[in-house]
Amino acid sequence: MTARVLDREIITSRLDDVRAYDGVRTRRVLAFCIDYLIVGLLMIPFAIIILLLGILTLGLGWALFGILFPAVALIYVWSTLGGRNQATTGMRMMGIRLDRLDGRPVDGLLAVVHSVLFWAGNVLLTPLILLVTLFADRKRTLHDLLLGTVVSRSDR
């Protein structure tokens, strides 16, 4: 175990440093807006393909429009948040990343479950799920608490 002393405080891991959570709540909201825009832009080529498929199948292919956004968003989350950087493009732009409290890397399945729980929480509790960050340790949201994850600054 590597420990270091910082401001006369023993810090055993990066996640124990309270400075790793400065501004995380604001950065998460901004990262979400950036990622939402990216997913919207990624939907354009897929929407064109579904449009052409619908014309070829005399309208049957247009049923795929119903799953277009969730499919593109989940593939985006699987490949970015579950990837090597453990952060979506918006999260990397904001300097934050998703970490597991047990120290293991975030895989694609955990990233997708994290995203699905976020959207399910928003459907049930509206944006009030952000209020949990005011009272929880390390500014964790409800889905972070359920999955044993935390969002921290990657630059600290």
Side-chain angles (χ1 to χ4, degrees):
M1 180 158 102
T2 60
R4 62 187 169 115
V5 177
L6 185 66
D7 295 332
R8 292 176 296 190
E9 185 178 336
I10 298 174
I11 298 173
T12 57
S13 77
R14 186 179 68 79
L15 298 179
D16 290 335
D17 190 356
V18 294
R19 295 175 304 160
Y21 307 104
D22 290 338
V24 165
R25 194 178 307 117
T26 303
R27 290 170 182 257
R28 275 183 100 157
V29 170
L30 293 174
F32 170 76
C33 293
I34 293 168
D35 289 329
Y36 206 82
L37 177 68
I38 291 171
V39 170
L41 292 173
L42 287 173
M43 284 179 40
I44 293 171
F46 291 108
I48 292 170
I49 292 169
I50 291 175
L51 174 72
L52 296 174
L53 183 65
I55 292 171
L56 291 174
T57 61
L58 302 175
L60 291 176
W62 291 335
L64 294 174
F65 276 121
I67 63 164
L68 178 62
F69 180 77
V72 171
L74 290 178
I75 291 169
Y76 174 75
V77 167
W78 180 287
S79 62
T80 57
L81 192 58
R84 180 176 51 87
N85 293 321
Q86 296 183 187
T88 62
T89 305
M91 291 171 74
R92 281 188 292 155
M93 290 173 74
M94 292 292 108
I96 56 177
R97 61 179 279 160
L98 183 69
D99 291 303
R100 291 174 64 156
L101 292 177
D102 60 6
R104 297 186 328 206
V106 175
D107 59 346
L109 182 62
L110 180 69
V112 167
V113 171
H114 191 270
S115 181
V116 168
L117 283 177
F118 167 75
W119 283 107
N122 264 331
V123 167
L124 296 174
L125 303 171
T126 64
L128 295 175
I129 62 168
L130 290 177
L131 291 178
V132 175
T133 63
L134 298 174
F135 306 106
D137 64 325
R138 301 176 182 175
K139 300 180 182 178
R140 295 165 67 194
T141 57
L142 186 60
H143 52 283
D144 289 332
L145 292 169
L146 291 173
L147 295 174
T149 57
V150 64
V151 174
S152 62
R153 295 192 48 176
S154 57
D155 58 350
R156 304 247 169 129

